[in-house]
Amino acid sequence: MSFKPLSPQKSDIQYHLASRKKDKIRSDIIVGTGDNKVIINDENLTIIAGPCSLESRDDSVALAKTLKICGANIFRGMIFKPRSSPYSFQGVGKTGIETIKAIKSEVDIPIVSEARNESEADVIAENCDLLQIGTRNMTNYQLLEYIGRLNIPILLKRGMGSTIEEWLCAAEYILNQGNQRVILCERGIRTFETATRFTLDIAAIPLVKELSHLPVIIDPSHASGKRSLVPPLSIAGVGAGANGIMIEVHNKPESAFSDAQQTVSVETFSELVKLAKIVSKTIKFQ
Amino acid sequence: MSFKPLSPQKSDIQYHLASRKKDKIRSDIIVGTGDNKVIINDENLTIIAGPCSLESRDDSVALAKTLKICGANIFRGMIFKPRSSPYSFQGVGKTGIETIKAIKSEVDIPIVSEARNESEADVIAENCDLLQIGTRNMTNYQLLEYIGRLNIPILLKRGMGSTIEEWLCAAEYILNQGNQRVILCERGIRTFETATRFTLDIAAIPLVKELSHLPVIIDPSHASGKRSLVPPLSIAGVGAGANGIMIEVHNKPESAFSDAQQTVSVETFSELVKLAKIVSKTIKFQ
Amino acid sequence: MSFKPLSPQKSDIQYHLASRKKDKIRSDIIVGTGDNKVIINDENLTIIAGPCSLESRDDSVALAKTLKICGANIFRGMIFKPRSSPYSFQGVGKTGIETIKAIKSEVDIPIVSEARNESEADVIAENCDLLQIGTRNMTNYQLLEYIGRLNIPILLKRGMGSTIEEWLCAAEYILNQGNQRVILCERGIRTFETATRFTLDIAAIPLVKELSHLPVIIDPSHASGKRSLVPPLSIAGVGAGANGIMIEVHNKPESAFSDAQQTVSVETFSELVKLAKIVSKTIKFQ
Amino acid sequence: MSFKPLSPQKSDIQYHLASRKKDKIRSDIIVGTGDNKVIINDENLTIIAGPCSLESRDDSVALAKTLKICGANIFRGMIFKPRSSPYSFQGVGKTGIETIKAIKSEVDIPIVSEARNESEADVIAENCDLLQIGTRNMTNYQLLEYIGRLNIPILLKRGMGSTIEEWLCAAEYILNQGNQRVILCERGIRTFETATRFTLDIAAIPLVKELSHLPVIIDPSHASGKRSLVPPLSIAGVGAGANGIMIEVHNKPESAFSDAQQTVSVETFSELVKLAKIVSKTIKFQ
């Protein structure tokens, strides 16, 4: 008779996590090149912002300029969108590459974009600065191994139904192929609560920093699914020690192609960045 | 064919919440009397601290003195402990009243204590300053109605398996009996994640402040079950707008009668209070 | 570094469960008296049926007669209803006692009814044959201890946010006060799935039979919240080894005072009882 | 103020589900060819059995022979295993193809095997009779679209953190590429309960049969993670209307390469198949 949860052999992953943690400090992960490159570490608060999915060329360039002025370090340039339904908007696709090039040449800000398979990963690795693996592909281990051999930093979102241990194991699939530039992103887990879209697991931030040497950011937009909750959750994340925040922002939030309800305005974003940076400094200098 | 969640009639509770919110500002809730009374509102950050359960008279008085010096506004003086197993320590019981009286006379700090039924509620109402209803009794509606007729402020913890809506409904059971001094306490919900004892629902803080006029505090000790997570979760809660934090502290955490793993030392508590107060002021003055 | 879930001392409860199991066979629990008494054990399939909450005297007597003819062994005569909102219908209350007396004298069928506090428990113990503790009071340990000293069998529903271990611990609160007649009832747990009201934890049935000597029944009505799912879940429960099923039935399901969506018609009930009894016998005689 | 859960546009998927359901009866899905082909529909109970992962050639052939005699219709011949940790056994890989060929030539039983990416899907489509998409790849939509263009029936497991609606949407990714032979498999979801590995969502069986025209089977081995629970959960699934069951069986369960704790012996399997078939017939002929 036993109430103990059943779990796969844990010794290996714990051994690897501990040895990576002991051997390394939380190393700088550099995203982008040149003057506007971003160094992700415990000294800086990284701000990632942009629309849920990339829309028209001109609107995107204009938004990227504005967000950079407001304090964004990395722009969300999502062109491939994994969607629960095959009948939902799936992103602008490869035609968005021209928009990404335009943003890079006209605004000079690093760009993060998501890939759903190997060929999309090649496209992103060639044209962007940070490759996102979304929540639905955290357990797509063959894709993780593939990107573990690419030369681009990875933003690894937590699976919405995955434990912290499984998330760290997923990071190992990338790390043990050679790519050491992995950034974790907590984006909310599935729970019984329906008042928010997901439940942001705020304790995951200090816990993964305790267990591993990898930096971790939060995505309060997808976690909450509710515009008004994005600023308080962002500040909470900074308070819990997150190395960065990723926010969905749109010039006209209500008319965003996807996830309009969780997208904040530029004004709200600007205010929340100011506050997040002050809180981040307050914590570091105490 | 419908995927809509099935739920009881919601119109009534939404009507009552909205009307209470419109009619009132987030009113001051006063806990205690005299010089050391605490005003719980959006201007102050309330710090509640003490052992999981009250132990010996002398240790308790000494700890209360120390915690008051470190910034605690209210002392945890738990004498009746609801426990999952009938074979676990159930608190010191009514003999603890003498210790509570000693703390009040020697330290002059308001005391919060939990009741599990009507007769315990009478004892707490007579001897303490704040009456806690624990997570296991949030759905004990007959007890809620009873304390709704007592003259003592109530700290209403969220049920570990209860939605935010059900938690606000539980508050209504108290409010509509006449007792308007209800403080909500988020203490973590049951999810699939086992790396922490519960999952602190950080989004609940801004959400209940949006939906109701009641103040809300967090309990990072029970939520995480892990000492090292208590400071970052406390700061996260303050960052999300919590009106207060409740922390389990012990002179010798490892030898606490119950919940030793989640109890922090006086030194850790002292540091986290300093930081929490600075972050709280930082947020308010931006 | 450890991923192990944190839990209270388990040795005591496991010791008690094992010793009760070893010392006793799954003992007969007798509900009611006289010719229509019900023996709950592994030989019989017990059928409990009736409306979600008791309504008018004449309708209730008529429904009880019909359900008895259709194979019901125990009638649901709920007069005190715990409800999430204080503004929802709370049952007919003590005035329902006259209806309960009428059913007993005119139909001669044992009656189960729920109590929410000690005084209601006294009323039920005096007038009914089986006392239900609902999901919201499974962790109301003071009430469990009180009914552990009453002379009436107990139907203990599982808390919607409670683990199987906590449910068995709750049973211990009753058993260790002397009342050995405890019947467990699985009624669905809180999960992320919203297509059903709760998720019926079908594995709980064989698991509690393995861990304890207590009989266990299922409540597919509350678990699913959906009329069309009640028959297949009933048969599933019998297939998993449940000692009984509890079904919400109404003459006009659509106009039931509460939980209309999950209430089946008399015709559906009659069909599902026939099938459940055949499956039950099929399993026993293989 | 709203408590409504936020969800993506649902009209499209509901429209497609309903139109597929209306246009078609639950069509026969044929797995395999020749004398031993299996017809999956509401008339038959399909039994899938075999080890968690394929082991040596001789043991596998011998086990397949035995299981066929015991009533298995399809053999589990898993050679590519998705595992949470990169350091766990990942299956025998392509070298297992020779074993699969040996089983097919010597035992003549259709074989199901899992693929984790496009190239593995090609291998399975060429050598096996049924292609499994595991729980971790249910949201790997690019892989679903790819196999939607292959000529092999698909066994689509539910994501452990996915709703029933998302599972049906995932099936649409395959169906709308042209492959109409999709069989759903409920294998347990993530919940707070740790006494079992996952929580088998038994209500999913009648619900997906109500919402779609696709057949559905259950996997009680992965759902429970506990050998003793496999027989009662199998019978429960049949009682709820499942079109089949998939069971992990091994000649020496304790020494299986993976998932030993949830693997049953040949003797247990033989008994449970007999009972499952009797219950299945009992239900159909009432």
Side-chain angles (χ1 to χ4, degrees):
Chain A
M1 180 180 56
S2 166
F3 292 106
K4 294 281 168 52
L6 307 162
S7 78
Q9 310 99 287
K10 286 179 173 168
S11 48
D12 279 348
I13 185 67
Q14 291 190 342
Y15 166 79
H16 283 277
L17 279 170
S19 87
R20 287 187 197 283
K21 182 129 205 276
K22 193 176 61 189
D23 296 353
K24 294 171 196 182
I25 53 164
R26 200 171 317 275
S27 48
D28 293 358
I29 296 184
I30 295 170
V31 174
T33 54
D35 289 351
N36 285 301
K37 71 167 185 256
V38 177
I39 303 172
I40 297 178
N41 62 18
D42 282 350
E43 306 306 310
N44 299 312
L45 182 71
T46 301
I47 312 288
I48 306 175
C52 175
S53 58
L54 214 58
E55 300 182 6
S56 81
R57 184 192 182 289
D58 290 355
D59 285 354
S60 298
V61 170
L63 182 60
K65 271 184 194 161
T66 305
L67 295 181
K68 188 179 174 186
I69 292 167
C70 295
N73 308 113
I74 299 175
F75 185 74
R76 278 178 64 96
M78 304 299 175
I79 60 180
F80 306 117
K81 297 292 300 173
R83 298 301 297 271
S84 295
S85 165
Y87 308 111
S88 297
F89 174 61
Q90 309 268 324
V92 295
K94 288 192 183 176
T95 62
I97 294 297
E98 292 313 307
T99 302
I100 284 173
K101 285 178 178 168
I103 296 168
K104 289 185 74 76
S105 76
E106 295 181 37
V107 190
D108 193 16
I109 185 170
I111 290 177
V112 57
S113 200
E114 178 166 0
R116 301 169 299 181
N117 62 17
E118 299 183 3
S119 69
E120 290 177 5
D122 288 340
V123 169
I124 302 302
E126 193 175 346
N127 293 284
C128 300
D129 305 282
L130 179 60
L131 169 57
Q132 176 176 304
I133 295 297
T135 187
R136 289 168 183 78
N137 282 308
M138 190 209 89
T139 52
N140 181 350
Y141 301 129
Q142 278 53 50
L143 181 57
L144 299 185
E145 290 189 335
Y146 184 81
I147 62 170
R149 296 185 294 267
L150 294 182
N151 182 25
I152 182 171
I154 307 297
L155 184 65
L156 179 65
K157 288 196 150 189
R158 177 178 179 183
M160 60 182 79
S162 299
T163 63
I164 289 171
E165 182 183 7
E166 291 168 338
W167 187 23
L168 292 170
C169 282
E172 276 292 315
Y173 269 101
I174 303 168
L175 297 168
N176 83 1
Q177 294 295 314
N179 190 342
Q180 300 299 313
R181 294 187 286 166
V182 175
I183 303 153
L184 301 168
C185 179
E186 161 63 33
R187 47 78 68 211
I189 56 172
R190 276 268 156 84
T191 73
F192 65 79
E193 178 57 74
T194 56
T196 45
R197 191 167 171 187
F198 296 95
T199 297
L200 183 71
D201 184 3
I202 192 82
I205 295 170
L207 197 53
V208 297
K209 292 185 84 167
E210 191 177 316
L211 294 170
S212 95
H213 69 292
L214 301 172
V216 58
I217 72 167
I218 64 158
D219 175 348
S221 305
H222 282 90
S224 66
K226 200 162 186 299
R227 190 175 299 144
S228 63
L229 301 180
V230 170
L233 292 186
S234 298
I235 305 305
V238 172
N243 297 98
I245 52 180
M246 178 156 69
I247 313 287
E248 291 191 359
V249 194
H250 198 277
N251 262 314
K252 296 179 181 168
E254 287 296 358
S255 58
F257 278 20
S258 48
D259 286 344
Q261 285 185 295
Q262 70 200 34
T263 299
V264 299
S265 67
V266 170
E267 292 70 29
T268 299
F269 172 71
S270 178
E271 290 304 310
L272 92 78
V273 168
K274 278 181 207 158
L275 185 51
K277 293 203 163 178
I278 292 169
V279 170
S280 176
K281 277 179 197 150
T282 301
I283 291 171
K284 288 192 182 66
F285 292 101
Q286 294 310 318
Chain B
M1 180 178 56
S2 166
F3 291 108
K4 295 282 168 52
L6 305 162
S7 78
Q9 309 100 287
K10 287 178 173 170
S11 48
D12 279 349
I13 186 66
Q14 292 190 341
Y15 166 80
H16 283 278
L17 279 170
S19 87
R20 287 188 197 284
K21 182 130 205 274
K22 194 176 59 188
D23 296 353
K24 294 171 194 181
I25 54 163
R26 199 170 319 274
S27 48
D28 293 357
I29 295 184
I30 296 170
V31 174
T33 54
D35 289 351
N36 285 301
K37 72 167 184 259
V38 178
I39 303 172
I40 298 179
N41 61 19
D42 283 350
E43 306 305 310
N44 300 313
L45 181 71
T46 301
I47 312 288
I48 306 175
C52 175
S53 56
L54 214 57
E55 301 182 5
S56 81
R57 184 194 181 290
D58 290 355
D59 286 354
S60 299
V61 170
L63 182 60
K65 271 184 193 160
T66 307
L67 296 181
K68 188 179 174 186
I69 292 167
C70 296
N73 307 112
I74 299 174
F75 185 74
R76 277 178 64 95
M78 305 298 175
I79 59 179
F80 305 117
K81 297 291 301 173
R83 298 300 295 271
S84 295
S85 165
Y87 308 110
S88 298
F89 173 61
Q90 310 269 324
V92 295
K94 287 193 184 177
T95 63
I97 294 296
E98 292 313 308
T99 303
I100 284 173
K101 285 178 178 166
I103 296 167
K104 288 184 73 76
S105 76
E106 296 182 37
V107 190
D108 192 17
I109 184 171
I111 290 178
V112 58
S113 200
E114 178 166 0
R116 302 168 299 180
N117 62 18
E118 298 184 4
S119 69
E120 291 178 5
D122 288 339
V123 169
I124 302 302
E126 193 175 348
N127 294 285
C128 300
D129 305 282
L130 178 61
L131 168 57
Q132 176 176 305
I133 296 297
T135 186
R136 289 168 183 77
N137 282 310
M138 190 208 88
T139 52
N140 181 349
Y141 300 129
Q142 277 53 50
L143 181 57
L144 299 185
E145 289 188 337
Y146 184 81
I147 62 169
R149 295 186 294 267
L150 294 182
N151 182 26
I152 182 171
I154 308 296
L155 184 64
L156 179 65
K157 288 198 151 189
R158 178 177 178 184
M160 58 181 81
S162 299
T163 63
I164 290 171
E165 183 183 6
E166 291 167 338
W167 188 23
L168 293 171
C169 282
E172 276 292 315
Y173 268 101
I174 303 168
L175 297 169
N176 82 2
Q177 294 295 314
N179 189 342
Q180 300 300 313
R181 293 187 287 165
V182 176
I183 302 153
L184 301 168
C185 180
E186 161 63 32
R187 48 78 68 212
I189 56 172
R190 277 268 155 84
T191 72
F192 64 80
E193 179 57 75
T194 56
T196 45
R197 191 168 172 186
F198 296 95
T199 298
L200 183 71
D201 184 3
I202 193 83
I205 295 169
L207 197 53
V208 297
K209 292 185 83 167
E210 193 177 315
L211 293 170
S212 95
H213 69 292
L214 301 171
V216 58
I217 72 167
I218 64 160
D219 174 347
S221 305
H222 282 90
S224 66
K226 201 164 186 298
R227 189 176 300 143
S228 63
L229 300 181
V230 171
L233 292 187
S234 299
I235 305 304
V238 173
N243 298 96
I245 53 181
M246 178 155 69
I247 313 286
E248 292 190 0
V249 194
H250 197 276
N251 262 315
K252 297 179 181 168
E254 287 297 358
S255 58
F257 278 19
S258 49
D259 286 343
Q261 285 186 294
Q262 71 200 33
T263 299
V264 300
S265 67
V266 171
E267 292 69 30
T268 300
F269 172 70
S270 179
E271 290 305 310
L272 92 76
V273 168
K274 279 180 206 157
L275 185 52
K277 293 204 163 178
I278 292 169
V279 170
S280 176
K281 277 179 196 148
T282 302
I283 290 171
K284 287 190 182 67
F285 292 102
Q286 294 310 318
Chain C
M1 181 178 54
S2 165
F3 291 107
K4 294 282 168 52
L6 307 162
S7 79
Q9 308 101 287
K10 286 177 175 170
S11 48
D12 278 349
I13 185 67
Q14 290 190 341
Y15 167 79
H16 283 276
L17 278 170
S19 86
R20 287 188 196 283
K21 182 131 204 276
K22 194 178 59 190
D23 297 353
K24 295 172 195 183
I25 53 163
R26 200 171 317 276
S27 47
D28 292 358
I29 295 184
I30 295 170
V31 175
T33 53
D35 289 350
N36 285 300
K37 71 168 185 257
V38 177
I39 303 173
I40 298 178
N41 62 18
D42 283 350
E43 306 306 310
N44 300 312
L45 181 70
T46 301
I47 312 288
I48 306 175
C52 176
S53 57
L54 214 57
E55 301 183 6
S56 81
R57 184 194 182 290
D58 289 355
D59 285 355
S60 299
V61 170
L63 182 60
K65 271 184 194 162
T66 306
L67 295 180
K68 189 179 174 186
I69 292 167
C70 296
N73 308 113
I74 299 175
F75 185 73
R76 278 179 64 95
M78 305 298 175
I79 59 179
F80 305 116
K81 297 291 300 173
R83 299 301 296 270
S84 296
S85 165
Y87 307 111
S88 297
F89 173 62
Q90 309 268 325
V92 295
K94 288 192 184 178
T95 63
I97 294 297
E98 291 314 309
T99 302
I100 284 173
K101 285 178 177 167
I103 296 168
K104 288 184 74 77
S105 76
E106 296 181 37
V107 190
D108 192 18
I109 185 170
I111 290 178
V112 58
S113 199
E114 178 166 0
R116 300 169 300 182
N117 61 18
E118 298 183 4
S119 69
E120 291 177 5
D122 288 339
V123 170
I124 302 302
E126 193 175 345
N127 293 285
C128 301
D129 306 282
L130 179 60
L131 169 57
Q132 176 176 305
I133 296 297
T135 186
R136 289 168 184 79
N137 282 309
M138 189 209 89
T139 53
N140 181 349
Y141 301 130
Q142 278 53 49
L143 181 57
L144 298 185
E145 289 188 336
Y146 184 81
I147 62 170
R149 297 185 294 266
L150 294 183
N151 182 25
I152 182 171
I154 308 296
L155 184 64
L156 179 64
K157 288 197 149 189
R158 177 178 180 185
M160 59 181 81
S162 299
T163 62
I164 289 171
E165 182 182 7
E166 290 167 338
W167 188 22
L168 293 170
C169 282
E172 276 293 315
Y173 269 100
I174 303 168
L175 297 168
N176 84 0
Q177 293 296 313
N179 189 342
Q180 300 299 315
R181 294 186 287 165
V182 176
I183 303 153
L184 301 167
C185 179
E186 161 63 32
R187 47 80 66 212
I189 56 171
R190 277 267 155 85
T191 72
F192 65 78
E193 179 57 75
T194 56
T196 46
R197 191 167 171 186
F198 296 95
T199 297
L200 183 71
D201 184 2
I202 192 82
I205 295 168
L207 197 52
V208 297
K209 292 185 84 169
E210 191 176 317
L211 294 170
S212 95
H213 70 294
L214 301 172
V216 58
I217 71 167
I218 64 159
D219 175 348
S221 305
H222 283 91
S224 66
K226 201 163 185 299
R227 189 176 301 143
S228 63
L229 300 180
V230 170
L233 292 186
S234 299
I235 305 305
V238 173
N243 298 97
I245 52 180
M246 178 156 68
I247 313 286
E248 291 190 1
V249 194
H250 197 275
N251 263 314
K252 297 180 181 168
E254 288 297 358
S255 58
F257 278 20
S258 48
D259 286 344
Q261 285 186 294
Q262 71 200 33
T263 299
V264 300
S265 67
V266 170
E267 292 70 28
T268 300
F269 172 70
S270 179
E271 290 304 311
L272 91 78
V273 168
K274 279 181 207 158
L275 185 52
K277 294 204 161 176
I278 293 169
V279 171
S280 176
K281 277 179 197 150
T282 302
I283 291 172
K284 288 191 182 68
F285 292 101
Q286 295 309 320
Chain D
M1 180 178 59
S2 165
F3 291 107
K4 294 281 167 54
L6 306 162
S7 79
Q9 308 102 288
K10 286 179 174 169
S11 49
D12 278 349
I13 185 66
Q14 291 190 342
Y15 167 79
H16 284 276
L17 279 169
S19 87
R20 287 188 197 282
K21 182 128 205 278
K22 194 177 59 189
D23 296 353
K24 294 171 196 181
I25 53 164
R26 201 172 316 276
S27 46
D28 293 358
I29 296 184
I30 296 170
V31 174
T33 53
D35 288 352
N36 285 301
K37 71 167 185 259
V38 178
I39 303 174
I40 298 178
N41 61 19
D42 282 350
E43 306 306 309
N44 299 312
L45 182 71
T46 301
I47 313 288
I48 306 175
C52 176
S53 57
L54 214 58
E55 301 181 7
S56 80
R57 184 192 181 289
D58 289 355
D59 286 353
S60 299
V61 170
L63 183 59
K65 271 184 195 161
T66 306
L67 295 181
K68 188 179 174 186
I69 291 167
C70 296
N73 307 113
I74 299 176
F75 185 73
R76 279 178 63 96
M78 304 298 175
I79 59 179
F80 305 116
K81 296 291 301 173
R83 298 300 297 271
S84 294
S85 165
Y87 307 110
S88 298
F89 173 62
Q90 309 268 324
V92 296
K94 288 193 185 178
T95 63
I97 293 296
E98 292 312 308
T99 302
I100 284 173
K101 284 178 177 167
I103 296 168
K104 287 184 74 76
S105 76
E106 296 182 36
V107 190
D108 193 18
I109 185 171
I111 290 178
V112 58
S113 199
E114 178 166 0
R116 302 168 300 181
N117 61 18
E118 298 183 4
S119 69
E120 290 177 5
D122 288 340
V123 169
I124 302 303
E126 195 175 345
N127 294 284
C128 300
D129 305 283
L130 179 61
L131 168 57
Q132 176 176 305
I133 296 297
T135 186
R136 289 168 183 78
N137 282 309
M138 190 209 88
T139 52
N140 180 351
Y141 300 130
Q142 278 52 51
L143 181 57
L144 299 185
E145 289 189 337
Y146 184 81
I147 62 170
R149 296 185 293 268
L150 294 181
N151 183 25
I152 183 170
I154 309 296
L155 185 63
L156 179 65
K157 288 197 151 190
R158 178 178 178 182
M160 59 182 80
S162 299
T163 63
I164 290 171
E165 183 182 7
E166 291 167 339
W167 187 24
L168 293 171
C169 282
E172 275 292 314
Y173 269 100
I174 303 168
L175 297 168
N176 83 1
Q177 294 295 313
N179 190 341
Q180 300 300 312
R181 294 187 286 166
V182 175
I183 302 153
L184 300 167
C185 179
E186 162 62 32
R187 46 79 70 213
I189 56 172
R190 276 268 155 85
T191 73
F192 64 79
E193 179 56 74
T194 56
T196 45
R197 190 167 171 188
F198 296 95
T199 298
L200 182 71
D201 184 3
I202 192 83
I205 295 169
L207 197 53
V208 297
K209 292 185 84 168
E210 191 176 317
L211 293 170
S212 94
H213 70 293
L214 301 171
V216 57
I217 72 168
I218 63 158
D219 175 348
S221 305
H222 282 90
S224 66
K226 200 163 187 303
R227 189 176 300 143
S228 63
L229 300 181
V230 170
L233 293 186
S234 299
I235 305 306
V238 172
N243 298 96
I245 53 181
M246 178 156 69
I247 313 287
E248 291 191 359
V249 193
H250 196 277
N251 263 314
K252 297 179 180 169
E254 287 297 359
S255 58
F257 278 19
S258 48
D259 287 343
Q261 285 186 294
Q262 71 200 33
T263 299
V264 300
S265 67
V266 170
E267 292 70 28
T268 299
F269 172 70
S270 178
E271 289 305 310
L272 92 77
V273 168
K274 278 180 208 156
L275 185 52
K277 293 203 164 179
I278 292 169
V279 171
S280 176
K281 276 178 199 151
T282 302
I283 290 172
K284 286 190 182 68
F285 293 102
Q286 295 312 319

